[in-house]
Amino acid sequence: MFAIASQLEWSSRAPIAQVTTLQYRQLHALFLHAEKHSSFWRKRLREVGFDPRAKSFDVGTLPKLPVLTRQTIQLHAEEMRAYPAPVKWGEVVSFQTSGSTGQHLRVDKPEINGLLFDAVTFTDHIWNRRDFSGKLAVIRKEVGKDRGGPYWSRETLNLVTTGPRVQINPVGRDIGEVLDWLEAERPTYVTTWPSVARQLAYLKLQRGGPQLSIRQFLTFGEMVSEELHWILQKAFGAQLSDRYSTEEAGYIALQCEHSRRYHVTPLAIVEIVDDEGQPVPPGTQGRVLVTLPHSFIMPLIRYEVGDYAIAGTTCGCGRTWPVLERILGRERSIVQFPDNSRQFVPIDGLDWTAIAPVKQWQFRQIAADRIDLLVAPARRLTSAERSKLIDGVTDLFHGAFAINLREVDSIASLPSGKRPEFIRDF
Ligand SMILES: [Zn+2]
């Protein structure tokens, strides 16, 4: 694992052409493997002219392949699997993912993917110069009932001595209970979803009390906004460090600690494309397609993750890994307007604390032209606060929706543990 992390660190400073050459060598190996062991991929690759006997690899083959949708995977999962993986890649692990769109998917990965994953996590620690002696708090559903352990995680075990890990499963718990736990544990670092971090921050600002200093929130799995950066700073004096990953694809990119841009790891090839599958120019928004050159058992080639991002160019930090300017997040951040246009809305872009003592909130689009704003306030809102909130939200959605404000006691998490700010519910 440390050897892989060292190579990753080297690659982040190496000329991009050199890294790309190595990456495409691995991609060629994946194409050969997939062509040999999977009927689905044999057909797909042959259709775009891939010749397994050719000596050299045409890098132009990749963008010719059709986009791989989640639905295609669900329909053709069995023909897509390319067994067996090389023996030296280790045992195969299967798991289910719900993904961003709530459609279930089974993904099989050999052990080496775990090693690669851990190496990226370790690289992220190094980039951020994390203090390994600190206490790490993990707030995510995967922890189950386990309360923690004497070391941070698999990637640090037997490599560096770390402080302890404490953890809590937030599913089914009130966010106040999670904050109580955090205030008792007083960790140095917190790992959780952005939506949970945001709600903890707003609740802490409402609750006040003794200062709770947290050095950094390590987030994953949802969109991160500028607002989240400053609200975590305000509530906990904390920095925010995001990792762009999905359950099925693993790590895709790490947030740069210098610029807040994202660097795509060499374990993934990312394309940002328009609705026709054509690459968009830097600075432009498009869909994220991911190709994983190490995905031998379940090849993911031009896989449409379901996220939008803004293509980037370079980063001032000097690292050569490709840059994503911003991750705009999931399909659900793209709101379908009454005129049928689909627009990206910065759903978390309001400074709620300046308007009203709001602990939790959520938008629910309940009809083509109606949005309910659910708010869990610290006390009953005044009519002035209510109308200010409604005005703010009406503006946010360009006056296109009838906004109905509903005060509730609390807003439950989804079964996954996430607490999305926007739900389409009709
Ligand atoms: Zn950078």
Side-chain angles (χ1 to χ4, degrees):
M1 195 285 296
F2 186 68
I4 299 169
S6 306
Q7 290 175 45
L8 283 173
E9 187 55 26
W10 163 82
S11 74
S12 74
R13 302 281 173 185
I16 186 66
Q18 197 176 351
V19 179
T20 306
T21 302
L22 292 168
Q23 216 178 15
Y24 275 84
R25 189 185 292 171
Q26 182 61 37
L27 185 67
H28 190 194
L30 171 69
F31 279 16
L32 289 171
H33 178 84
E35 199 275 341
K36 190 172 173 191
H37 297 288
S38 150
S39 57
F40 175 93
W41 286 110
R42 187 174 311 123
K43 184 163 176 288
R44 230 178 220 216
L45 287 162
R46 293 263 175 103
E47 273 170 5
V48 296
F50 176 70
D51 177 4
R53 287 151 310 180
K55 283 265 183 307
S56 63
F57 178 54
D58 176 9
V59 296
T61 312
L62 182 67
K64 285 188 204 148
L65 285 161
V67 168
L68 178 65
T69 63
R70 204 176 175 86
Q71 199 180 17
T72 305
I73 300 181
Q74 282 169 325
L75 288 172
H76 302 283
E78 290 315 311
E79 309 108 85
M80 286 180 66
R81 287 180 222 282
Y83 279 107
V87 171
K88 62 182 176 184
W89 283 25
E91 298 276 328
V92 173
V93 192
S94 286
F95 64 97
Q96 290 278 348
T97 126
S98 57
S100 50
T101 49
Q103 297 164 288
H104 283 282
L105 193 64
R106 191 186 110 206
V107 181
D108 299 341
K109 289 181 179 178
E111 270 175 302
I112 192 168
N113 288 91
L115 273 176
L116 296 170
F117 186 90
D118 289 353
V120 176
T121 313
F122 193 78
T123 302
D124 186 58
H125 293 325
I126 299 299
W127 282 18
N128 284 276
R129 298 176 186 276
R130 294 202 179 105
D131 175 4
F132 288 114
S133 70
K135 183 196 264 192
L136 175 70
V138 180
I139 305 171
R140 58 187 300 182
K141 72 165 178 180
E142 285 77 11
V143 303
K145 288 198 164 72
D146 189 0
R147 295 171 65 102
Y151 61 92
W152 281 7
S153 190
R154 211 169 49 184
E155 78 279 355
T156 59
L157 188 60
N158 301 328
L159 188 60
V160 285
T161 306
T162 69
R165 174 187 75 253
V166 291
Q167 53 200 28
I168 190 170
N169 180 350
V171 176
R173 285 179 205 273
D174 184 78
I175 199 76
E177 194 187 331
V178 179
L179 183 58
D180 292 343
W181 174 83
L182 209 58
E183 295 202 297
E185 292 290 354
R186 310 193 72 78
T188 319
Y189 300 104
V190 176
T191 296
T192 193
W193 292 287
S195 58
V196 172
R198 176 179 294 113
Q199 296 196 1
L200 288 168
Y202 276 96
L203 185 57
K204 179 60 187 165
L205 289 172
Q206 295 299 331
R207 186 187 274 190
Q211 192 187 351
L212 175 58
S213 290
I214 291 169
R215 201 167 304 174
Q216 200 175 52
F217 276 77
L218 290 58
T219 55
F220 61 91
E222 291 172 329
M223 184 184 70
V224 158
S225 61
E226 275 305 303
E227 168 257 12
L228 185 59
H229 280 275
W230 63 251
I231 202 73
L232 289 174
Q233 183 69 47
K234 196 168 161 186
F236 304 110
Q239 290 179 331
L240 168 60
S241 170
D242 189 40
R243 286 88 63 89
Y244 179 38
S245 65
T246 72
E247 283 179 273
E248 61 275 26
Y251 283 117
I252 299 169
L254 297 179
Q255 190 171 34
C256 181
E257 79 283 18
H258 294 287
S259 68
R260 295 185 186 170
R261 295 184 178 96
Y262 289 78
H263 287 287
V264 178
T265 87
L267 304 178
I269 296 170
V270 168
E271 298 168 82
I272 308 296
V273 300
D274 60 21
D275 287 341
E276 276 74 52
Q278 297 302 310
V280 300
T284 315
Q285 171 187 328
R287 292 166 187 272
V288 178
L289 303 185
V290 175
T291 298
L292 300 177
H294 291 86
S295 57
F296 269 35
I297 295 181
M298 188 62 168
L300 291 179
I301 302 169
R302 304 201 88 210
Y303 172 55
E304 187 175 23
V305 182
D307 288 331
Y308 288 77
I310 295 178
T313 48
T314 55
C315 179
C317 70
R319 293 190 183 103
T320 53
W321 290 3
V323 171
L324 301 177
E325 202 59 40
R326 274 185 68 197
I327 317 275
L328 295 174
R330 308 283 157 163
E331 298 270 12
R332 67 167 173 265
S333 309
I334 308 286
V335 177
Q336 180 143 2
F337 276 61
D339 66 358
N340 277 331
S341 64
R342 288 161 57 77
Q343 303 180 30
F344 177 78
V345 177
I347 282 154
D348 43 26
L350 295 179
D351 185 358
W352 298 93
T353 53
I355 301 175
V358 168
K359 292 188 296 185
Q360 288 179 286
W361 73 90
Q362 190 173 64
F363 297 106
R364 281 196 195 158
Q365 185 179 7
I366 53 161
D369 58 355
R370 292 208 334 250
I371 290 176
D372 276 1
L373 167 60
L374 274 65
V375 165
R379 53 160 171 77
R380 293 244 357 135
L381 300 180
T382 66
S383 59
E385 287 165 343
R386 288 179 62 94
S387 53
K388 263 182 143 176
L389 281 174
I390 291 172
D391 288 351
V393 173
T394 304
D395 286 352
L396 185 70
F397 290 96
H398 314 310
F401 294 90
I403 307 294
N404 175 35
L405 175 61
R406 285 168 51 198
E407 289 181 50
V408 294
D409 291 336
S410 68
I411 295 164
S413 64
L414 297 181
S416 68
K418 293 182 185 178
R419 293 163 185 270
E421 288 81 26
F422 187 90
I423 292 177
R424 191 184 145 103
D425 194 14
F426 67 98

